[in-house]
Amino acid sequence: MAYSFGKFPVKVSARHVHLTQDTVDILFGKGHVIEPEVPTKGQFLSTTRVTVVGPKHTFERVAVMGPCRNFNQFEISATDARTLGVPGMLRESGKIEGTPGIKLVGTVGEVELEQGVIVAERHIHMGKNTAAQNGLKDGDKVLMCVESEGRMTVFGDTAIHTNGPDDGGALSHIDTDEGNACGAGKNTVGYIVGKMEDFAKLFPEAAEN
C-alpha cells in the first residue's frame, strides 16, 4: 500500500524526564517554571536539567521536557537501563504501572520515584484523520524502513500514535540504541513498508519458521 504522507522525518530521542509540577517544586523550588530552550508550541525541550541516580550509575544533566504532565516518567534506552542497573521495560509512554522507580536530584531537593522508568516503544506520530485516510489507527504496529547510508534498517513493531497534527504528515521517534543501529543522523527519513500483520505476506519464509 502507498501511504499519502510518503517519507517522514525520523528523530532520535535521547534520555529525558517528564515531571509533574509537584515534583518540579520539590526538585527546584516552589513555583519553578519549566521553560523551553526555544519558543515553540506543544511539547518542548526545557532549560531545566536533573540528575538521575540509579543502583549502579548516575546520569547528570538529564533533559526535562515540558510542559509538566500529570505523571512522572523517565525515558531511556535499553543500554541506559543496563548502565543504571534497572530493568529496561518496553512500554508505551504513559503506561508506567509496574515499571521500576529511580531517584531524581534537583538544585533544591530530591525525589524517589516509585515507578516511571521505561524504554519507550518506537513510534510514528500523525493526526487521526491522516491515519484513517491511510487505513491506520492508534496502536497499530507497522514495519518502518529507516534510510541511511550503508545502514538502511527495517524496524518491526513500530506503533502508530494518532496524537500528531492533522497536516497530512508524519513524524517518528526512535531511541539512541535504535538510532545507532540504523545510522540515523540529523536529516534521516523513513517510511512505512506495511503493517505487522502483513509480515507473513512480505516474508513468507520467515513466517513459516
Side-chain angles (χ1 to χ4, degrees):
M1 174 180 178
Y3 296 93
S4 64
F5 41 78
K7 295 181 181 180
F8 45 79
V10 176
K11 302 297 183 181
V12 177
S13 181
R15 69 180 79 104
H16 61 273
V17 180
H18 297 279
L19 301 174
T20 66
Q21 185 60 56
D22 286 344
T23 300
V24 169
D25 289 343
I26 295 171
L27 294 174
F28 304 103
K30 187 70 174 179
H32 179 85
V33 178
I34 300 297
E35 298 181 336
E37 286 193 348
V38 179
T40 185
K41 295 181 180 179
Q43 183 173 285
F44 57 83
L45 175 66
S46 82
T47 56
T48 302
R49 298 293 183 270
V50 67
T51 298
V52 180
V53 182
K56 294 183 178 180
H57 190 74
T58 296
F59 290 139
E60 297 183 350
R61 293 194 55 77
V62 175
V64 177
M65 301 298 292
C68 288
R69 294 189 177 183
N70 59 1
F71 59 89
N72 298 303
Q73 180 172 281
F74 180 35
E75 296 184 33
I76 56 177
S77 68
T79 297
D80 286 341
R82 288 191 290 271
T83 301
L84 283 171
V86 298
M89 301 186 70
L90 185 66
R91 292 293 182 88
E92 177 184 348
S93 180
K95 303 294 180 63
I96 61 174
E97 185 176 354
T99 57
I102 203 77
K103 181 179 181 179
L104 304 179
V105 180
T107 55
V108 173
E110 57 187 50
V111 173
E112 288 276 359
L113 300 183
E114 295 183 358
Q115 60 184 8
V117 181
I118 69 167
V119 176
E121 64 179 8
R122 55 183 166 268
H123 54 273
I124 303 168
H125 297 283
M126 63 183 70
K128 289 184 179 180
N129 292 334
T130 301
Q133 291 166 6
N134 287 276
L136 300 167
K137 64 182 184 301
D138 193 74
D140 277 353
K141 296 293 181 68
V142 299
L143 293 153
M144 177 178 68
C145 181
V146 179
E147 292 187 342
S148 64
E149 187 174 352
R151 281 197 167 186
M152 178 180 283
T153 303
V154 176
F155 289 111
D157 295 317
T158 305
I160 298 296
H161 290 178
T162 58
N163 57 355
D166 254 322
D167 56 6
L171 170 67
S172 175
H173 287 117
I174 59 178
D175 68 26
T176 51
D177 286 349
E178 295 159 342
N180 289 336
C182 67
K186 185 177 181 180
N187 299 311
T188 297
V189 297
Y191 55 90
I192 296 175
V193 177
K195 295 182 180 180
M196 285 301 296
E197 60 201 57
D198 298 327
F199 185 80
K201 300 175 183 177
L202 293 167
F203 308 102
E205 297 84 2
E208 291 172 1
N209 295 330

